[in-house]
Amino acid sequence: MALFDSFFKDVGIDLGTANTLIYERRKGLVIDEPTVAAINTKTNEILAVGDKAKKMLGRTPAHIQVVRPLQNGVVSDFDMAYEMLRQFLRSIAGSFGFRRGILGIPNDLTEVERKSVEDVAHNAGVAKVHLVESLIAAALGADLPIEDPTASLIIDIGGGTTDIGVISMGGIVVSRTLKTAGDRMNEDIIRFFREEFKLAIGEPTAEFAKMSVGSAIPVEEKLEVAIRGRDLATGLPREVIAKNIHVRAAIAKSLSAILEAMHEVIEETPAELTGDMLRQGVVICGGGALLRGLAPLIEKEASVVTHIAPEPLTCMVRGLGRIVDGYEHYGELLDNPLKPIDIQL
Ligand SMILES: Nc1ncnc2c1ncn2[C@@H]1O[C@H](COP(=O)(O)OP(=O)(O)OP(=O)(O)O)[C@@H](O)[C@H]1O
Ligand SMILES: [Mg+2]
């Protein structure tokens, strides 16, 4: 059995709205690329996936289309999603292919949406697909004691979704998934620039502004950056200086929506667990956790000590990795539990 182990590959896949990460059993993180694909619409040929494709966003000629095949954690372009994943997998494949893949999914997906994630992985070359609640994987990646009869509040702010949940004894006790996350903040910034500065900017530029000068609370440092776009009146290129206060104003509503959902989750948490949560603290992960000042804002709003998970962008895939490396122990967390015979492999 151990011999086969080295031929067949088992992987954990975080097919995120913004980024796709793959963890290979006993190896570690092997793929970390944007969830983007570029296609030649004349020939239907995939031109690039991942980083290469992302660089083409907003700058391609008419016959090249750059797509993000996931929206808000849901597969929106099935063919592009599996072609992209197939290319990622091909780049790490050995001669025997992929025996098993564990994917994390938001816990409010419909049956049809779950099936489509499963089919994407199948079509991309994974023989057996298992799904696990992404918050459970993220909590494992953050090293939270998820199997104990205590409670942890975890908030995963990704590109397309924010998942908020209280986890106790390996299960989700209360949760909310909202479609307000990093992408929405980028859209907020695009709208702000259009309305306040009469300047059209693309998504990558908005994201750049968010990362370079954005924050969730006022900051002491002076944050400013030059942003270039197209003047809406003249149609000509123009530059404005984006300040922290601009980005803060732009994303304020989205942040309130996240805080509101967090309050709802806390209110619905059984009183016994609220006490545990207080001891354990709140953990935030996902790329959105890197927004300046977000942890202090959440800490103030929840009145609970808040930490950013180590390496928030890889938190969930590292949690999937722990499951992939330890089926024996974590098999029961999977939606579609592994048969004992599989576990012994
Ligand atoms: N330093 C930063 N400051 C603010 N936002 C950031 C920073 N770094 C990354 N982000 C944002 O994090 C988001 C991507 O995070 P992540 O990779 O966790 O999402 P995802 O898992 O692909 O999406 P989802 O979980 O919603 O399907 C993007 O919207 C990006 O703009
Ligand atoms: Mg994610």
Side-chain angles (χ1 to χ4, degrees):
M1 289 295 192
L3 184 66
F4 284 118
D5 233 20
S6 53
F7 291 152
F8 294 102
K9 288 181 190 278
D10 289 356
V11 285
I13 303 174
D14 172 1
L15 186 61
T17 309
N19 297 296
T20 296
L21 295 90
I22 302 180
Y23 179 103
E24 187 179 328
R25 180 167 160 94
R26 304 215 173 105
K27 253 199 180 157
L29 189 62
V30 285
I31 295 284
D32 180 355
E33 299 254 4
T35 307
V36 182
I39 186 170
N40 181 332
T41 50
K42 280 186 193 156
T43 59
N44 261 349
E45 198 189 350
I46 296 251
L47 296 173
V49 294
D51 269 319
K52 259 198 195 152
K54 189 175 183 183
K55 291 209 175 79
M56 300 178 182
L57 260 180
R59 11 175 97 102
T60 51
H63 68 284
I64 296 178
Q65 206 189 349
V66 182
V67 295
R68 295 183 52 188
L70 266 85
Q71 300 274 323
N72 304 115
V74 176
V75 177
S76 53
D77 186 331
F78 186 85
D79 291 344
M80 289 298 251
Y82 90 73
E83 276 293 347
M84 180 198 72
L85 188 59
R86 199 157 66 102
Q87 298 219 7
F88 289 151
L89 288 172
R90 194 188 290 158
S91 70
I92 57 164
S95 20
F96 283 78
F98 296 89
R99 177 175 56 181
R100 187 184 286 149
I102 300 184
L103 282 85
I105 50 161
N107 70 338
D108 70 335
L109 289 195
T110 63
E111 208 45 53
V112 175
E113 289 165 346
R114 278 165 180 255
K115 183 80 174 69
S116 98
V117 172
E118 234 178 288
D119 290 346
V120 161
H122 264 307
N123 284 25
V126 178
K128 182 116 185 74
V129 180
H130 301 275
L131 303 178
V132 61
E133 311 272 19
S134 60
L135 272 181
I136 300 266
L140 271 176
D143 261 332
L144 295 175
I146 66 161
E147 288 161 296
D148 296 357
T150 172
S152 308
L153 176 63
I154 181 150
I155 306 181
D156 178 347
I157 306 169
T161 55
T162 294
D163 285 301
I164 306 172
V166 174
I167 293 175
S168 179
M169 301 180 74
I172 294 176
V173 183
V174 187
S175 73
R176 284 277 186 292
T177 299
L178 58 163
K179 295 183 186 342
T180 303
D183 288 348
R184 179 67 59 83
M185 294 182 205
N186 298 345
E187 289 161 24
D188 295 337
I189 295 168
I190 292 174
R191 192 171 337 107
F192 186 92
F193 272 69
R194 181 175 281 275
E195 286 167 6
E196 297 294 314
F197 299 127
K198 311 292 174 223
L199 192 75
I201 59 171
E203 222 226 307
T205 304
E207 183 173 54
F208 170 73
K210 174 178 74 178
M211 292 182 185
S212 38
V213 303
S215 68
I217 52 171
V219 286
E220 281 182 13
E221 13 164 10
K222 186 174 172 201
L223 297 172
E224 290 185 0
V225 69
I227 292 295
R228 290 177 203 95
R230 182 165 43 81
D231 187 293
L232 287 172
T234 66
L236 297 173
R238 180 158 64 88
E239 183 179 289
V240 302
I241 301 298
K243 297 184 179 166
N244 171 259
I245 194 167
H246 299 138
V247 175
R248 233 177 337 114
I251 65 175
K253 252 205 187 137
S254 293
L255 286 175
S256 308
I258 293 171
L259 294 175
E260 200 177 305
M262 177 187 76
H263 280 299
E264 287 171 14
V265 168
I266 295 175
E267 275 160 26
E268 282 171 34
T269 302
E272 269 309 297
L273 294 182
T274 313
D276 293 343
M277 218 168 66
L278 202 66
R279 263 193 304 281
Q280 205 65 249
V282 178
V283 170
I284 55 176
C285 67
L290 292 168
L291 180 70
R292 279 182 202 81
L294 186 63
L297 176 66
I298 288 177
E299 179 160 314
K300 182 170 143 262
E301 287 283 327
S303 305
V304 178
V305 180
T306 302
H307 309 278
I308 303 177
E311 297 187 50
L313 281 158
T314 62
C315 187
M316 138 117 151
V317 80
R318 284 183 289 109
L320 291 173
R322 279 181 60 178
I323 303 176
V324 172
D325 282 339
Y327 294 123
E328 307 74 11
H329 189 64
Y330 293 113
E332 79 276 10
L333 295 178
L334 303 175
D335 231 352
N336 171 10
L338 300 168
K339 289 188 229 87
I341 183 77
D342 285 344
I343 295 170
Q344 281 163 17
L345 276 173

